[in-house]
Amino acid sequence: MGFLGLIAIGTVILSTPWAAATGRAAFLDALFTATSASCLTGLITVDTATAWSPFGQGVIMVLIQLGGLGFMTMTCLLSIALGARLGLRRRLGAQAEGRGADLGDVRWIVRATLIFTMVVEAIIFIALAFRFHYTYGYDWQRSAWEGLFHAVSSFNNAGFALYSDNVIGFATDALILLPLAFGVIVGGLGFPVLLETYRHFTSRQRIRRRWSLTARFTWTGTAILIVAGTVLVAASEWQGLLAQFDGPYRLLNAFFAGISPRTAGFNAIDYAHAHPQTLVATDFLMFIGGGSGGTAGGIKITTVAVLLAAIGAEIKGRRTATAHGRSINRRVVRQALSVTAAAVILVLGSTFLILGMAPQFTSDQILFETTSAFGTVGLSTGITAGLPRDAQFILIVLMFAGRVGPLALATTLAGRVTTRLYEYPEERPAIG
């Protein structure tokens, strides 16, 4: 309800004459943009650089920031600012957004989340603002505005840019792409993992806390996916989209293209001309996403790690999935299966529906679009604006489901315990 309210307010404001560059934006365009910004997606039906006024762009940036922090986190921050106590309901809400494993930690973690967000965004803002001013000759006002907008967009994994070609114009500027990549990676790790890492290395205890499975899975999975994404893009586009660059810039753009699908949505290459192999590899990266409890989308790295551990246990004939010297609760495995199955049904079902509405586009393009919407990524082959209105509405639902759905589903499954006083007879259906 919090996210729906945020989207509704954003839609109303973006529908006003002050938000549009000229005239007034169409209602569906305002709704689509508000949903995309609040859900940290980045898909657009109108050009962010030319369709919206500076006021409208500012509204988009605020929606991104609020959507990244999370509705319940903002509620807790407001309560703390007013000196009120955090009740059990607010603590449970913030905990459900992934801000902390223990209710007693929620107050500290909510504060730390805000501070950490401001610090990282400030670092990216300074790097970009100085680059825009001293290299591209922008005045300080424009440099500061663009630095701030892109810092917020990168750390929150939103992918919105103030240029019609996104960041393609900076494809050979490492001092623009690398700060954006830094924001994307850090934001995609998730606040719980970042704060656990901070606690681990700043602990005054002689014996540091043991890393949680969430942190281990997220750090390891992030490293693997960054390397895999870079290698896959380089292999499929070395003689394609990357051929226009010199050697170092080929690697830079392969690296950036390997990071962006993990829910960021910035593109320094044109995916409309990408090889089908690149699109499929990007689909996988977008579907997996980043870390839990942060600004990333997708089904999350930890979900995939739990499924892999369960598969490994089944292959080895073990009754319980294990990882790093820990057993994984069977309920967690079932939750991972449920979230993944729901995500697959949503993406494939939406792809099927949109193919019927827009047969002029290929299945590769439609699947790329729906996966990007569900994964709250924002990458596109350029077909978003050309889709029928009904298809755009499906993407709106997908963006909302991708941001809120897996989180709500996992939380509901984790908190729901039904005790039954009887059991049905057991039967083993054939598998495989």
Side-chain angles (χ1 to χ4, degrees):
M1 294 303 296
F3 271 100
L4 284 175
L6 184 62
I7 291 169
I9 293 172
T11 302
V12 171
I13 298 176
L14 291 176
S15 297
T16 63
W18 305 287
T22 56
R24 187 192 295 263
F27 174 78
L28 188 59
D29 290 332
L31 174 62
F32 194 98
T33 303
T35 305
S36 184
S38 301
C39 297
L40 314 178
T41 306
L43 286 176
I44 54 174
T45 54
V46 293
D47 184 13
T48 307
T50 58
W52 304 109
S53 66
F55 172 74
Q57 293 169 352
V59 171
I60 291 171
M61 185 183 71
V62 171
L63 290 174
I64 292 170
Q65 188 70 83
L66 295 178
L69 286 172
F71 178 77
M72 292 307 303
T73 301
M74 292 304 300
T75 303
C76 290
L77 284 171
L78 181 61
S79 298
I80 293 171
L82 296 175
R85 294 184 61 187
L86 291 183
L88 180 60
R89 180 173 296 180
R90 285 200 179 97
R91 290 175 185 267
L92 287 170
Q95 183 192 48
E97 284 185 325
R99 301 302 188 233
D102 300 318
L103 291 179
D105 284 343
V106 168
R107 189 182 186 93
W108 180 87
I109 288 179
V110 165
R111 283 177 170 174
T113 294
L114 179 63
I115 294 172
F116 191 85
T117 298
M118 297 300 105
V119 169
V120 175
E121 289 180 355
I123 293 171
I124 302 169
F125 158 71
I126 292 171
L128 294 179
F130 275 84
R131 186 64 173 173
F132 284 135
H133 179 73
Y134 288 109
T135 302
Y136 296 95
Y138 299 169
D139 59 51
W140 277 114
Q141 182 179 357
R142 181 181 176 185
S143 298
W145 165 238
E146 296 207 2
L148 178 62
F149 186 95
H150 292 98
V152 172
S153 184
S154 65
F155 178 71
N156 290 286
N157 281 216
F160 278 88
L162 295 179
Y163 297 90
S164 298
D165 61 354
N166 205 269
V167 293
I168 291 178
F170 302 106
T172 57
D173 191 340
L175 295 183
I176 293 291
L177 296 188
L178 291 180
L180 293 177
F182 169 74
V184 170
I185 294 171
V186 174
L189 287 170
F191 294 112
V193 172
L194 292 171
L195 296 176
E196 180 181 338
T197 303
Y198 171 79
R199 276 181 161 180
H200 182 81
F201 288 108
T202 58
S203 176
R204 296 180 181 178
Q205 300 175 3
R206 293 184 179 180
I207 301 177
R208 291 173 176 168
R209 297 183 179 185
R210 178 186 174 88
W211 287 103
S212 68
L213 281 183
T214 298
R216 288 177 180 271
F217 286 157
T218 303
W219 277 112
T220 304
T222 296
I224 291 173
L225 290 175
I226 288 175
V227 173
T230 302
V231 171
L232 288 171
V233 173
S236 57
E237 296 294 346
W238 195 260
Q239 299 300 327
L241 291 175
L242 299 178
Q244 59 184 306
F245 305 114
D246 294 332
Y249 294 116
R250 286 191 187 186
L251 291 176
L252 172 65
N253 280 273
F255 171 72
F256 194 77
I259 288 173
S260 287
R262 301 190 54 250
T263 84
F266 288 113
N267 64 290
I269 58 174
D270 188 358
Y271 283 90
H273 302 99
H275 192 279
Q277 188 178 26
T278 304
L279 297 182
V280 172
T282 305
D283 285 338
F284 278 109
L285 293 173
M286 292 191 295
F287 187 77
I288 294 172
S292 300
T295 59
I299 62 173
K300 305 296 189 297
I301 293 173
T302 47
T303 304
V304 176
V306 168
L307 291 178
L308 292 176
I311 292 171
E314 195 64 30
I315 291 174
K316 296 175 183 177
R318 295 175 179 171
R319 295 178 61 85
T320 306
T322 60
H324 301 289
R326 289 288 185 269
S327 297
I328 300 175
N329 190 287
R330 293 182 184 180
R331 282 180 56 80
V332 174
V333 175
R334 294 199 299 269
Q335 290 164 23
L337 286 169
S338 300
V339 169
T340 305
V344 170
I345 292 170
L346 272 173
V347 171
L348 294 184
S350 301
T351 302
F352 178 79
L353 291 175
I354 295 177
L355 278 172
M357 299 175 183
Q360 68 270 29
F361 299 116
T362 66
S363 56
D364 284 344
Q365 291 175 310
I366 301 296
L367 180 61
F368 192 87
E369 199 81 7
T370 55
T371 307
S372 179
F374 174 79
T376 67
V377 180
L379 293 177
S380 175
T381 56
I383 68 172
T384 313
L387 290 172
R389 291 298 190 184
D390 290 344
Q392 291 177 356
F393 186 77
I394 290 176
L395 292 181
I396 290 174
V397 175
L398 266 181
M399 288 188 288
F400 182 78
R403 177 62 178 151
V404 181
L407 174 67
L409 178 59
T411 304
T412 302
L413 291 174
R416 184 176 181 177
V417 179
T418 302
T419 302
R420 201 166 51 187
L421 301 180
Y422 61 91
E423 291 291 340
Y424 290 109
E426 185 178 292
E427 184 175 343
R428 295 175 63 88
I431 301 295

XYZ file of all heavy atoms in Angstrom, residues 281-326:
314
model
N 21.780 -13.812 -22.449
C 22.655 -13.732 -21.269
C 22.199 -12.616 -20.346
O 22.182 -12.769 -19.111
C 24.102 -13.501 -21.714
N 21.802 -11.493 -20.928
C 21.323 -10.364 -20.126
C 20.016 -10.710 -19.428
O 19.766 -10.278 -18.296
C 21.148 -9.118 -21.013
O 22.381 -8.839 -21.704
C 20.773 -7.901 -20.183
N 19.156 -11.484 -20.095
C 17.904 -11.934 -19.463
C 18.184 -12.685 -18.171
O 17.524 -12.464 -17.144
C 17.122 -12.848 -20.424
C 16.452 -12.083 -21.544
O 16.232 -10.870 -21.384
O 16.144 -12.707 -22.585
N 19.167 -13.587 -18.205
C 19.509 -14.362 -17.011
C 20.003 -13.446 -15.891
O 19.611 -13.603 -14.731
C 20.578 -15.411 -17.339
C 20.027 -16.668 -17.953
C 20.239 -16.962 -19.292
C 19.288 -17.558 -17.188
C 19.728 -18.119 -19.852
C 18.775 -18.721 -17.743
C 18.987 -19.009 -19.087
N 20.866 -12.497 -16.242
C 21.399 -11.581 -15.236
C 20.287 -10.726 -14.630
O 20.251 -10.494 -13.415
C 22.471 -10.683 -15.859
C 23.768 -11.376 -16.304
C 24.657 -10.395 -17.052
C 24.518 -11.945 -15.105
N 19.367 -10.253 -15.469
C 18.265 -9.422 -14.982
C 17.330 -10.224 -14.089
O 16.806 -9.717 -13.096
C 17.486 -8.827 -16.156
C 18.262 -7.806 -16.961
S 17.252 -6.874 -18.150
C 16.729 -8.174 -19.284
N 17.090 -11.478 -14.443
C 16.172 -12.311 -13.678
C 16.736 -12.610 -12.290
O 16.001 -12.617 -11.298
C 15.909 -13.620 -14.429
C 14.838 -14.474 -13.802
C 13.494 -14.161 -13.959
C 15.165 -15.594 -13.049
C 12.508 -14.934 -13.382
C 14.184 -16.378 -12.471
C 12.850 -16.049 -12.640
N 18.049 -12.830 -12.201
C 18.670 -13.116 -10.903
C 18.716 -11.860 -10.043
O 18.343 -11.872 -8.871
C 20.080 -13.689 -11.092
C 20.007 -15.067 -11.762
C 20.792 -13.818 -9.740
C 21.365 -15.624 -12.165
N 19.197 -10.757 -10.590
C 19.222 -9.502 -9.845
C 20.391 -9.402 -8.888
O 21.490 -9.903 -9.152
N 20.156 -8.731 -7.743
C 21.232 -8.468 -6.794
C 20.942 -9.008 -5.415
O 20.300 -10.053 -5.262
N 21.402 -8.279 -4.403
C 21.255 -8.722 -3.027
C 19.906 -8.365 -2.429
O 19.206 -7.471 -2.907
N 19.557 -9.069 -1.371
C 18.273 -8.850 -0.695
C 18.335 -7.635 0.214
O 19.390 -7.290 0.742
C 17.897 -10.084 0.134
O 17.773 -11.224 -0.687
N 17.179 -6.984 0.399
C 17.075 -5.893 1.350
C 17.697 -4.602 0.886
O 17.966 -3.708 1.687
N 17.934 -4.455 -0.426
C 18.522 -3.228 -0.942
C 17.706 -2.659 -2.077
O 16.481 -2.760 -2.109
N 18.394 -2.080 -3.041
C 17.715 -1.435 -4.157
C 17.645 -2.326 -5.392
O 17.111 -1.909 -6.417
C 18.449 -0.131 -4.517
O 19.810 -0.435 -4.862
C 18.451 0.832 -3.344
N 18.194 -3.522 -5.298
C 18.214 -4.424 -6.448
C 16.875 -5.127 -6.636
O 16.069 -5.223 -5.714
C 19.324 -5.459 -6.280
N 16.651 -5.608 -7.833
C 15.439 -6.363 -8.138
C 15.780 -7.812 -8.436
O 16.799 -8.337 -7.991
N 14.931 -8.459 -9.242
C 15.140 -9.865 -9.558
C 14.727 -10.771 -8.421
O 14.191 -10.326 -7.404
N 14.985 -12.068 -8.578
C 14.624 -13.009 -7.521
C 15.667 -13.032 -6.418
O 15.455 -13.661 -5.388
C 14.422 -14.436 -8.080
C 15.714 -14.966 -8.703
C 13.272 -14.461 -9.080
C 15.635 -16.429 -9.116
N 16.798 -12.390 -6.631
C 17.885 -12.180 -5.669
C 18.902 -13.335 -5.688
O 18.575 -14.494 -5.941
C 17.369 -11.986 -4.239
C 16.353 -10.857 -4.100
C 16.959 -9.506 -4.418
C 16.023 -8.354 -4.067
N 14.773 -8.335 -4.806
N 20.135 -12.959 -5.418
C 21.252 -13.906 -5.420
C 21.048 -14.999 -4.382
O 21.321 -16.183 -4.635
C 22.574 -13.163 -5.143
C 22.916 -12.237 -6.305
C 23.717 -14.142 -4.899
C 24.113 -11.343 -6.047
N 20.575 -14.626 -3.196
C 20.416 -15.621 -2.137
C 19.402 -16.688 -2.519
O 19.562 -17.860 -2.169
C 19.974 -14.941 -0.829
O 18.902 -14.026 -1.106
C 21.115 -14.178 -0.196
N 18.355 -16.300 -3.247
C 17.359 -17.278 -3.695
C 17.999 -18.317 -4.605
O 17.787 -19.526 -4.451
C 16.210 -16.573 -4.434
O 15.640 -15.574 -3.590
C 15.137 -17.558 -4.850
N 18.803 -17.844 -5.558
C 19.484 -18.754 -6.483
C 20.473 -19.633 -5.725
O 20.578 -20.842 -5.992
C 20.210 -17.956 -7.585
C 21.011 -18.885 -8.495
C 19.204 -17.164 -8.411
N 21.189 -19.063 -4.761
C 22.168 -19.832 -3.989
C 21.498 -20.944 -3.192
O 22.004 -22.076 -3.119
C 22.946 -18.909 -3.049
N 20.345 -20.644 -2.604
C 19.609 -21.664 -1.845
C 19.147 -22.784 -2.772
O 19.243 -23.977 -2.430
C 18.408 -21.029 -1.115
C 17.472 -22.103 -0.579
C 18.897 -20.146 0.028
N 18.665 -22.424 -3.955
C 18.231 -23.451 -4.913
C 19.402 -24.321 -5.352
O 19.265 -25.544 -5.480
C 17.577 -22.786 -6.128
C 16.231 -22.106 -5.894
C 15.737 -21.457 -7.185
C 15.201 -23.095 -5.378
N 20.547 -23.718 -5.606
C 21.727 -24.497 -6.001
C 22.165 -25.427 -4.876
O 22.561 -26.574 -5.127
C 22.867 -23.560 -6.393
C 22.672 -22.753 -7.680
C 23.839 -21.789 -7.886
C 22.533 -23.679 -8.885
N 22.093 -24.938 -3.640
C 22.448 -25.789 -2.502
C 21.483 -26.967 -2.386
O 21.890 -28.099 -2.083
C 22.433 -24.966 -1.204
N 20.187 -26.713 -2.640
C 19.190 -27.788 -2.584
C 19.416 -28.807 -3.696
O 19.292 -30.024 -3.474
C 17.789 -27.190 -2.696
N 19.774 -28.324 -4.880
C 20.059 -29.234 -5.998
C 21.281 -30.090 -5.671
O 21.304 -31.309 -5.911
C 20.282 -28.436 -7.299
C 18.976 -27.785 -7.749
C 20.829 -29.345 -8.406
C 19.145 -26.817 -8.903
N 22.314 -29.449 -5.115
C 23.517 -30.189 -4.738
C 23.224 -31.257 -3.703
O 23.747 -32.376 -3.777
N 22.376 -30.920 -2.726
C 22.024 -31.900 -1.694
C 21.267 -33.073 -2.293
O 21.473 -34.229 -1.913
C 21.190 -31.225 -0.606
N 20.382 -32.777 -3.247
C 19.590 -33.838 -3.877
C 20.485 -34.758 -4.699
O 20.328 -35.989 -4.691
C 18.507 -33.216 -4.759
C 17.408 -34.176 -5.170
C 16.599 -34.677 -3.995
O 16.465 -33.933 -2.990
O 16.125 -35.823 -4.063
N 21.446 -34.171 -5.412
C 22.372 -34.975 -6.218
C 23.215 -35.891 -5.327
O 23.486 -37.044 -5.663
C 23.279 -34.052 -7.062
C 22.447 -33.349 -8.149
C 24.417 -34.851 -7.701
C 23.222 -32.313 -8.928
N 23.616 -35.380 -4.171
C 24.448 -36.151 -3.246
C 23.634 -37.086 -2.366
O 24.199 -37.852 -1.576
C 25.256 -35.191 -2.366
C 26.255 -34.350 -3.153
C 26.936 -33.328 -2.250
C 27.875 -32.440 -3.044
N 28.500 -31.389 -2.187
N 22.311 -37.027 -2.480
C 21.464 -37.908 -1.694
C 21.324 -37.498 -0.240
O 21.010 -38.333 0.614
N 21.523 -36.220 0.056
C 21.416 -35.740 1.424
C 20.003 -35.224 1.690
O 19.350 -34.688 0.803
C 22.431 -34.622 1.681
C 23.877 -35.087 1.586
C 24.827 -33.914 1.727
N 26.231 -34.359 1.653
C 27.269 -33.528 1.574
N 27.052 -32.222 1.562
N 28.494 -34.009 1.513
N 19.561 -35.359 2.920
C 18.210 -34.934 3.280
C 18.117 -33.424 3.478
O 17.056 -32.835 3.346
C 17.766 -35.638 4.578
C 17.629 -37.141 4.448
C 17.242 -37.762 5.776
N 15.957 -37.258 6.259
C 14.779 -37.760 5.897
N 14.735 -38.789 5.045
N 13.664 -37.272 6.391
N 19.242 -32.778 3.792
C 19.234 -31.354 4.093
C 20.262 -30.622 3.239
O 21.392 -31.089 3.076
C 19.555 -31.114 5.586
O 18.653 -31.869 6.385
C 19.440 -29.632 5.930
N 19.874 -29.460 2.715
C 20.806 -28.626 1.960
C 21.747 -27.924 2.930
O 21.328 -27.442 3.988
C 20.041 -27.595 1.139
N 23.018 -27.877 2.583
C 24.013 -27.236 3.445
C 24.881 -26.289 2.635
O 25.034 -26.445 1.417
C 24.923 -28.276 4.121
O 25.603 -29.034 3.100
C 24.120 -29.217 4.998
N 25.461 -25.300 3.331
C 26.388 -24.370 2.690
C 27.247 -23.718 3.768
O 26.726 -23.279 4.797
C 25.629 -23.298 1.912
N 28.550 -23.703 3.554
C 29.497 -23.051 4.463
C 29.329 -23.521 5.917
O 29.332 -22.720 6.855
C 29.342 -21.526 4.387
C 29.575 -20.959 3.027
N 30.821 -20.901 2.448
C 28.703 -20.442 2.110
C 30.727 -20.360 1.241
N 29.457 -20.081 1.018
N 29.159 -24.812 6.082
C 29.061 -25.366 7.426
C 27.745 -25.082 8.130
O 27.664 -25.194 9.351
N 26.711 -24.753 7.366
C 25.400 -24.479 7.940
C 24.322 -25.254 7.167
O 24.415 -25.410 5.947
C 25.073 -22.982 7.881
C 25.897 -22.136 8.838
C 25.466 -22.368 10.276
N 26.143 -21.489 11.221
C 27.256 -21.760 11.845
N 27.895 -22.922 11.580
N 27.792 -20.917 12.708
